[in-house]
Amino acid sequence: MIRSMTAFAAGERNTEAGVLGCELRAVNHRFLEIGVRLPEELRVLEPALRERIAARISRGKLDLTLRLRPSDAAEHLELNQALVAQLSAVAQDLDGRFPNLRTELGQLLQLPGVLQSRSADPETLQAQALALLDTVLAQFVAAREREGAQLAAVIAERVDAIAAQAATVRTLIPLIRIGQRQKLEARLADLSQPADPGRLEQELVLWLQKLDVDEELDRLDSHIVEIRRVLAQKEPVGRRLDFLLQEFNREANTLGSKSVDTRTSQAAVELKVLIDQIREQVQNIE
């Protein structure tokens, strides 16, 4: 499955501590580089977050941002009902003994333990953050795959064009050999002294061997088969495609250097153009 290295995904989740937001974005990078920005409450999660991302992503410069927006009910004070009940019982017992005793509400609330601060459980918040990342990460990978499918289609089209150029060169080579032989014979016919036919044949064979590109075309065909196979794989293939493009480029250069005909020279140029177009797409692939 071809995946693009560029993508963006975001999501939110309501928690007891407030609204938890997650953003994940990425751009091209040769290796995997992860930047993390977290609220103080979730800093302990950074190793786990990095591990989760690395399990799903192999290349790209990724930025993960988690934000916690506290809600009005995220943290508030509440009465310790058990303690208030005990104080009430004590007050009733003392009321008969000290009828003039009065306790102000403010004084009562200041007693240790009467008011309690209730905040979200840290472990629960951490578990929710990990679950939110899993959801956003799934969306992120799906976005990469959708864009990757488009890149794969463009690459496959260029590969078909390379195969067509290679096939064209194969049909031209026998004609070019005949033409080169005729040119050489015509030049020799203009000489004042006739050339030895046996020596002429030897020289012609040596010359045509230097111009032979059958081996380059065979390798080019094998590279075409391999790149089509790689495009159908499920694991990340960006680095493999980088290597194959180097091999493609080597054969195109050799074909151009051996060319003695404008048609094969044009084919070599067209091959290099197609290879460069593929390289532009591969730079975006994980």
Side-chain angles (χ1 to χ4, degrees):
M1 176 68 70
I2 298 296
R3 293 178 182 171
S4 169
M5 278 194 283
T6 59
F8 172 80
E12 289 186 343
R13 172 171 292 201
N14 291 319
T15 71
E16 291 184 357
V19 179
L20 185 63
C22 177
E23 287 186 2
L24 190 60
R25 64 181 73 236
V27 295
N28 300 344
H29 197 273
R30 188 176 180 183
F31 305 104
L32 178 61
E33 180 179 322
I34 305 173
V36 179
R37 288 184 291 178
L38 303 173
E40 193 63 36
E41 298 89 338
L42 296 173
R43 290 200 177 279
V44 69
L45 276 184
E46 183 170 342
L49 295 171
R50 290 181 178 275
E51 183 178 349
R52 262 175 160 78
I53 293 174
R56 301 287 303 275
I57 306 296
S58 63
R59 293 178 72 187
K61 187 177 184 301
L62 280 75
D63 289 318
L64 169 66
T65 301
L66 283 175
R67 296 185 179 90
L68 182 60
R69 187 172 69 249
S71 62
D72 294 338
E75 182 172 338
H76 63 276
L77 297 175
E78 63 180 13
L79 285 174
N80 185 335
Q81 298 294 342
L83 181 57
V84 169
Q86 293 177 11
L87 290 173
S88 175
V90 172
Q92 291 176 2
D93 181 58
L94 294 176
D95 187 53
R97 302 181 185 182
F98 307 95
N100 296 325
L101 181 63
R102 295 290 181 269
T103 302
E104 299 291 336
L105 177 61
Q107 295 175 330
L108 177 64
L109 295 178
Q110 290 176 6
L111 291 176
V114 172
L115 287 179
Q116 292 181 325
S117 174
R118 187 184 69 180
S119 58
D121 177 54
E123 293 185 0
T124 300
L125 180 61
Q126 293 167 18
Q128 291 173 327
L130 291 174
L132 177 59
L133 174 63
D134 288 340
T135 299
V136 172
L137 192 55
Q139 297 172 359
F140 181 83
V141 171
R144 277 190 159 197
E145 290 177 351
R146 286 193 299 270
E147 187 173 341
Q150 297 175 357
L151 295 174
V154 173
I155 292 174
E157 182 181 344
R158 301 296 187 273
V159 171
D160 290 344
I162 289 176
Q165 288 292 331
T168 299
V169 172
R170 281 194 184 278
T171 61
L172 289 173
I173 292 302
L175 301 176
I176 292 173
R177 288 171 179 165
I178 294 173
Q180 293 299 314
R181 183 185 185 103
Q182 291 174 346
K183 286 182 181 180
L184 182 58
E185 291 175 345
R187 290 175 182 175
L188 293 175
D190 293 336
L191 297 177
S192 57
Q193 295 181 354
D196 177 37
R199 181 60 183 272
L200 172 61
E201 194 66 26
Q202 290 177 358
E203 292 296 328
L204 182 61
V205 169
L206 291 174
W207 187 51
L208 291 177
Q209 284 179 346
K210 292 179 181 179
L211 303 179
D212 182 43
V213 293
D214 286 343
E215 186 176 347
E216 285 75 15
L217 291 174
D218 288 341
R219 285 198 295 265
L220 196 58
D221 286 343
S222 69
H223 298 334
I224 291 170
V225 171
E226 178 62 13
I227 198 171
R228 286 171 172 163
R229 186 190 69 81
V230 169
L231 288 174
Q233 291 181 342
K234 293 184 178 181
E235 62 269 18
V237 296
R239 291 190 178 92
R240 179 64 178 170
L241 291 175
D242 285 336
F243 171 76
L244 282 172
L245 287 179
Q246 295 176 19
E247 298 301 309
F248 269 103
N249 207 49
R250 183 178 292 111
E251 309 310 333
N253 286 334
T254 305
L255 181 61
S257 65
K258 289 186 175 182
S259 176
V260 294
D261 188 273
T262 56
R263 292 168 294 180
T264 52
S265 296
Q266 291 173 354
V269 171
E270 182 62 25
L271 284 174
K272 291 181 68 66
V273 170
L274 292 168
I275 293 167
D276 285 341
Q277 290 175 348
I278 294 176
R279 182 177 288 108
E280 291 178 0
Q281 307 302 319
V282 170
Q283 289 174 353
N284 299 321
I285 289 178
E286 181 182 356

